[in-house]
Amino acid sequence: MQRLLLTTAAIAALATALPAAAQFQKPEDAVKYRKAGFTVMAAHFSRLGAMAQGRVPFDAAAATMNAEIVADMAKLPFAGFVEGTAGTEKGTPKANVWTDRAKFDAGAKKLQEESAKLAANAKTLDGLKAAFTATAGTCKACHDDFRNP
Amino acid sequence: MQRLLLTTAAIAALATALPAAAQFQKPEDAVKYRKAGFTVMAAHFSRLGAMAQGRVPFDAAAATMNAEIVADMAKLPFAGFVEGTAGTEKGTPKANVWTDRAKFDAGAKKLQEESAKLAANAKTLDGLKAAFTATAGTCKACHDDFRNP
């Protein structure tokens, strides 16, 4: 069995040691990477939403599995927010990701914390519902502040 | 700290319990999901290649972190190979993914096994080199057989 050994702290340490841009050959690679990471995370998060909202039957094992994937994926895409990749079109990051980076990073950390709680609490429907709502709130908070509508 | 608790067996059990297509609203969602998963995996795998091939200095912690992400990502995209999503364009899956599914699934399993070894052996440069080559071989074997050139 293989498990993700990455702590948020370890990723932060790596990010500090190596400028994010250095991890990508071109800014477009960073954009593609972060979008891909969010796509995978969203696919699994939406399955939790379907259970939390009663659209599919609750299944503790499936909920926990999906929540663990969400929690792991939540650690990845933020490395792809490299300088020079702000946009103006719908769904692209606003320039304040970089001008207000401390707030953006705090939002990323909040998502990581809440999704870890989601993974820990997805084995009961009540636990899932509460943690899903809290996690979804962290998504929305960042989207409202940093994403072009 | 949050770690992926998914064993390959657990994913296989889930896939058996729930037809893969049922996890996606539309076939296009499955295609988008699997491509996103491979994109994230490839980004981290390419960093290992850069170290294995001496293009960037070897760093045991970074190598292990990237290899663990590869090993976890290797478990995800295969759920996106749902019926009716074969193609003919470059990079799309050939129809034999579905007509020779046992071989395709064996290839996926081989990737998962070799990438787990990669994560276990990335802390030395010699270990990384050998495991990187073995893992890359599993990528190529499937691409040769199942992907349109």
Side-chain angles (χ1 to χ4, degrees), chain A residues 72-89:
Chain A
D72 276 327
M73 294 307 301
K75 296 169 188 159
L76 301 182
F78 299 100
F81 285 85
V82 302
E83 290 276 355
T85 60
T88 52
E89 286 175 44

Side-chain angles (χ1 to χ4, degrees), chain B residues 48 51-52 57-65 67 117-132:
Chain B
L48 296 170
M51 281 191 235
F58 176 70
D59 175 319
T64 299
M65 179 178 293
K117 288 184 204 165
L118 180 64
N121 290 288
K123 59 188 174 296
T124 67
L125 180 55
D126 283 347
L128 171 67
K129 282 180 179 174
F132 178 84

Side-chain angles (χ1 to χ4, degrees), chain A residues 5-20 23 74-76 78-79 101 105 108-109 112, chain B residues 65:
Chain A
L5 292 169
L6 313 181
T7 61
T8 303
I11 291 183
L14 185 71
T16 307
L18 190 68
Q23 299 181 46
K75 296 169 188 159
L76 301 182
F78 299 100
R101 188 73 193 209
D105 289 346
K109 185 162 178 278
Q112 290 155 354
Chain B
M65 179 178 293

